[in-house]
Amino acid sequence: MKYKGLFTFLGIFAFLAVIGTLMPKSKTVETAKTESVEQMAQKNKEAKESSAIEKATPENWIYSTHQYGIDNKELKAAEVKSTNTINLKFPYSGENYGHVMIRNQGGNLDVIFAVDKGQFNQAYSGTPVKVKFDEEKTKVFTGHEPSDHSSGWLFLSNAKGFVASAKGKKHLKIEVEFFHEGSQLFEFDIDGLDLSKIGK
């Protein structure tokens, strides 16, 4: 009888051991800590990747500095390209962007509107250029071709007024008439203009 009780006890112990191996094991504190560290590392990695993408996003404005003239005077410029394109007839067919350049040349401020290729509808008094910043009222500037009569370039009147209106704005629309092509509309994302980079 003594041995029978011992065998019964050992049998119950063996049964409990088998049941223990079949039951799902609970996570240990160490395992939980390890998973927590891995999760934090993954979150940090995702945050760094997101930050890198933001830093890689190019600015709307491109800033440049040039030397000109016999005395190597400094010219600084900020340029932005239109977010849309137009398609004119031959010989100006194909994808055609608009460009706005704000230029500081020896303290003299210029605002230039240009296209990759095209010919504006010129008049003796200049070309009317309709300009709209954000949701403000449309303004009309007068565009004059450069002294060398280059096609596709207009120097806008009242450059200081244009720049003052551009400060702090996000969107710009420019409408101008082309030779035998009618009025064409260009849209620009001008957010983030930093005039200090051109000395203004």
Side-chain angles (χ1 to χ4, degrees):
M1 294 295 290
K2 184 188 297 185
Y3 293 111
K4 186 177 179 181
L6 178 61
F7 290 145
T8 301
F9 174 78
L10 291 175
I12 293 172
F13 180 82
F15 176 76
L16 292 175
V18 170
I19 294 298
T21 60
L22 295 176
M23 291 179 66
K25 295 182 180 179
S26 60
K27 294 181 180 180
T28 64
V29 175
E30 192 62 31
T31 303
K33 284 182 179 179
T34 302
E35 287 186 356
S36 177
V37 170
E38 289 175 353
Q39 289 174 356
M40 289 177 63
Q42 181 62 27
K43 287 181 180 179
N44 288 338
K45 180 181 177 183
E46 291 173 355
K48 287 179 180 179
E49 288 175 350
S50 175
S51 177
I53 291 172
E54 290 177 0
K55 288 180 180 179
T57 302
E59 294 181 325
N60 302 324
W61 291 88
I62 297 175
Y63 303 90
S64 58
T65 301
H66 309 276
Q67 307 297 323
Y68 71 96
I70 193 171
D71 296 321
N72 288 326
K73 293 182 178 179
E74 194 171 67
L75 183 154
K76 293 186 175 183
E79 182 180 347
V80 64
K81 185 170 73 172
S82 64
T83 56
N84 69 309
T85 60
I86 63 169
N87 196 339
L88 304 175
K89 297 174 184 176
F90 180 82
Y92 306 117
S93 55
E95 199 172 48
N96 201 346
Y97 285 92
H99 304 265
V100 171
M101 180 184 292
I102 301 174
R103 192 173 72 176
N104 179 10
Q105 186 173 6
N108 296 319
L109 196 63
D110 292 315
V111 174
I112 301 166
F113 172 67
V115 291
D116 292 330
K117 47 193 173 182
Q119 184 178 353
F120 297 113
N121 197 14
Q122 297 281 354
Y124 180 77
S125 57
T127 300
V129 179
K130 294 181 180 179
V131 174
K132 185 179 180 70
F133 293 98
D134 289 347
E135 298 304 319
E136 292 183 351
K137 186 178 179 180
T138 300
K139 302 175 182 179
V140 180
F141 292 80
T142 302
H144 297 279
E145 64 181 11
S147 57
D148 63 359
H149 304 290
S150 297
S151 173
W153 284 63
L154 290 174
F155 283 77
L156 302 189
S157 60
N158 191 14
K160 290 183 179 179
F162 183 100
V163 172
S165 297
K167 289 179 181 178
K169 301 301 191 303
K170 294 182 179 297
H171 303 289
L172 166 66
K173 294 181 180 179
I174 290 182
E175 186 177 83
V176 63
E177 190 171 329
F178 285 77
F179 185 66
H180 289 169
E181 295 283 357
S183 294
Q184 303 288 336
L185 178 66
F186 296 87
E187 299 188 38
F188 300 84
D189 182 356
I190 61 170
D191 189 24
L193 173 61
D194 187 354
L195 292 171
S196 67
K197 291 185 178 181
I198 63 168
K200 286 293 181 181

